[in-house]
Amino acid sequence: MSRMKQEPTNVNRKEERERQRKGIPGLIDSTVSSTIDDLKAIIDAKLELFKIELTEKVALVSAFVLLLVVLMIGVAYLITTIALLFGELFGHVWLGYLLVSMVFILTFAFFTKVKPNALKNFIHKILLSAND
């Protein structure tokens, strides 16, 4: 019984609110509330898009780092193999490692003392061409 009494009271309140909302104030109220709802939906969509783009970039960087690690391991084995080959050719294994080490040291010296901007310019060109 108490439920039946409350329902008509709620219906009367709703009708009274709708009567008050009629006219220009009601139109302004509905416009403002719909605009706020639209802004909330746009912000939610932008956040979801940002999350998707961020996860895509994280996945790309992770894949790049993983491939770089695999490449570095492969290069390390290749350098060791070349050092062993030169060691066999010269009759002493240590000469092969010395020769390969000297190549790396001379490369370091070239890019730090002789042409310090050459490597920076080369990397800059690669990055610019990758972004175009």
Side-chain angles (χ1 to χ4, degrees), residues 51-69 127 130-131:
K51 288 178 188 177
I52 292 170
E53 289 175 352
L54 185 64
T55 55
E56 182 178 340
K57 288 181 181 180
V58 167
L60 180 66
V61 168
S62 300
F64 180 74
V65 168
L66 183 64
L67 287 176
L68 188 63
V69 167
L127 292 175
N131 289 330

Side-chain angles (χ1 to χ4, degrees), residues 64-129:
F64 180 74
V65 168
L66 183 64
L67 287 176
L68 188 63
V69 167
V70 169
L71 178 66
M72 289 176 63
I73 292 170
V75 167
Y77 276 107
L78 179 65
I79 291 169
T80 304
T81 304
I82 291 171
L84 289 172
L85 174 68
F86 286 146
E88 287 291 321
L89 291 175
F90 294 127
H92 298 287
V93 176
W94 63 271
L95 282 175
Y97 283 104
L98 179 65
L99 181 66
V100 170
S101 298
M102 290 307 294
V103 168
F104 284 107
I105 291 171
L106 290 174
T107 303
F108 175 78
F110 177 77
F111 283 119
T112 56
K113 300 295 179 189
V114 179
K115 296 264 188 174
N117 290 329
L119 187 60
K120 180 188 72 111
N121 292 338
F122 179 70
I123 293 172
H124 189 250
K125 287 178 185 177
I126 290 173
L127 292 175
L128 286 177
S129 66

Side-chain angles (χ1 to χ4, degrees), residues 2-90:
S2 63
R3 276 191 168 178
M4 291 176 28
K5 288 182 183 177
Q6 288 177 354
E7 289 177 358
T9 308
N10 289 340
V11 172
N12 290 338
R13 287 183 188 163
K14 288 181 184 177
E15 288 175 9
E16 185 178 330
R17 281 189 210 139
E18 288 191 24
R19 272 189 251 133
Q20 290 174 352
R21 288 188 180 178
K22 288 183 182 176
I24 293 178
L27 183 63
I28 291 173
D29 185 39
S30 67
T31 303
V32 168
S33 64
S34 68
T35 302
I36 290 172
D37 292 340
D38 290 344
L39 283 174
K40 287 179 183 177
I42 290 171
I43 290 170
D44 288 341
K46 290 273 188 182
L47 284 174
E48 287 299 317
L49 184 61
F50 176 73
K51 288 178 188 177
I52 292 170
E53 289 175 352
L54 185 64
T55 55
E56 182 178 340
K57 288 181 181 180
V58 167
L60 180 66
V61 168
S62 300
F64 180 74
V65 168
L66 183 64
L67 287 176
L68 188 63
V69 167
V70 169
L71 178 66
M72 289 176 63
I73 292 170
V75 167
Y77 276 107
L78 179 65
I79 291 169
T80 304
T81 304
I82 291 171
L84 289 172
L85 174 68
F86 286 146
E88 287 291 321
L89 291 175
F90 294 127

